[in-house]
Amino acid sequence: MFSSQQFLPDALMARLTEVRVTDPDCAWRAAQTRRRRHGLVSGGKLNILAADHPARRVTKVGSNPIAMADRQDYLARIVRVMSADGIDGLMATMDILEDLFILDALVKEAGGASLLDGKVLIGSLNRGGLAGSCWELDDPITGPTPATCTAWHLDGAKLLLRIADDDAGSLKTMLSSAQAINECNALHLPMFLEPLPVTRRDSGWAVQKDKEALARIAGVASALGDSSRYLWLKLPYCDGYETVARSTSLPILLLGGESAGNPAPFLGELASALKAGPNVRGALVGRNVLYPGDEDPLAMACAVGGIIHQTWTVDQAMASLPANRGQGIDSLSRLF
């Protein structure tokens, strides 16, 4: 089982907080000097880690209601995944990105390899629709603006747009999303839009994961803003994904949703989705990679990267897990 404290030691977390207290501009300086990759995609595909859930009060993994609230464990899993071959980058809120910029500076200062050079970094814009709140679908931009993403030399921005026909908050979020897309277009900044049709259930809002609902919302999302030229869509898997892929010419990244608790289900969905159409170009997924049951997040990230970038089968991806499990587990602790 992956041990976050073994990988990201207490001493390094203490250093992180100390830097936040004594040198609050460290993250900004690290962002300005980061070596960025040439072009957004690698071989036409993208494998991006999502790490913006806690900012929307989504912290549950399996039976643990606050698993993602443990910042040391969360950061350890993120850094672990970012060190994997085949991971192109990260989508996160600014606090997470700033933590990583500081850690990157500390690691390089200690003689280690950069955690962030050459990676795609995407800022998560709207997290105001707190899970369980009465205003949940009224989700304005409460994080960085597109201009902020550009100033921090990020490589893109991400928006969540949930639409329910019986909740007026959806319209407010749609208007806010269109404005943000316009701002991204003016800055030539890629936008990753996650449009989700939702319905009200006893347990809260639930995503409609059927091909008809997803195909219809893809048409709505593709037309938002003054241009779609920098727009990518982030959509969940469903049976008949070919229908979803055919509903737009925009590139699509698969999202993962709640963790299945083991690698196989998501790897199967990913492999199937990539065959659904030429515009399905990879994944932007969080919990299924960060919390793959008892599996090492690094091993899971390598398996996902193999399917996306090397056209592995699910069997090949599953067979790769033992070889990558535990690799470089002491890479940070040796420095600190």
Side-chain angles (χ1 to χ4, degrees), residues 25-229:
D25 286 330
C26 175
W28 170 262
R29 294 195 306 272
Q32 304 308 305
T33 58
R34 179 177 70 93
R35 180 176 58 80
R36 299 170 71 181
R37 68 158 60 184
H38 298 290
L40 182 69
V41 296
S42 174
K45 302 289 181 67
L46 276 177
N47 182 16
I48 305 293
L49 175 67
D52 62 346
H53 300 85
R56 203 175 62 78
R57 205 160 61 186
V58 176
T59 58
K60 183 177 182 294
V61 177
S63 61
N64 185 343
I66 57 169
M68 288 188 286
D70 184 327
R71 183 53 60 95
Q72 182 171 355
D73 181 69
Y74 198 52
L75 282 177
R77 292 173 181 274
I78 292 169
V79 175
R80 185 74 173 145
V81 168
M82 291 289 283
S83 66
D85 292 336
I87 285 287
D88 293 289
L90 171 73
M91 182 278 295
T93 50
M94 286 304 298
D95 59 314
I96 295 290
L97 290 169
E98 288 162 5
D99 280 344
L100 292 174
F101 280 129
I102 295 171
L103 288 175
D104 193 45
L106 292 173
V107 167
K108 290 194 290 186
E109 183 182 89
S114 174
L115 307 172
L116 302 177
D117 282 354
K119 299 293 187 181
V120 173
L121 298 183
I122 300 166
S124 182
L125 304 191
N126 60 330
R127 298 281 86 188
L130 299 184
S133 64
C134 64
W135 68 87
E136 187 172 344
L137 296 193
D138 183 0
D139 194 359
I141 293 176
T142 53
T145 63
T148 300
C149 292
T150 299
W152 279 78
H153 292 189
L154 303 184
D155 305 294
K158 178 258 184 178
L159 277 170
L160 171 64
L161 172 59
R162 290 170 296 170
I163 294 179
D165 292 349
D166 59 351
D167 193 302
S170 295
L171 177 58
K172 293 182 181 179
T173 306
M174 186 185 295
L175 293 170
S176 177
S177 297
Q179 180 59 40
I181 291 169
N182 293 347
E183 293 174 14
C184 282
N185 289 337
L187 295 166
H188 307 283
L189 186 70
M191 165 61 77
F192 297 83
L193 178 63
E194 181 179 2
L196 298 176
V198 296
T199 56
R200 198 187 301 271
R201 304 275 176 82
D202 291 341
S203 58
W205 293 106
V207 179
Q208 292 179 265
K209 295 182 181 180
D210 63 81
K211 61 184 181 181
E212 291 85 3
L214 292 174
R216 292 176 70 192
I217 204 164
V220 173
S222 299
L224 283 177
D226 57 14
S227 171
S228 61
R229 66 190 186 276

Side-chain angles (χ1 to χ4, degrees), residues 47 237 254-257 260 262-272 282-286 288-289 300 304 307-308 314:
N47 182 16
Y237 182 75
L254 190 70
L255 65 86
N262 70 82
F266 177 72
L267 294 177
E269 291 181 354
L270 175 61
S272 178
L284 205 171
V285 62
N288 274 288
V289 173
M300 180 61 174
V304 171
I307 290 176
I308 292 173
V314 175

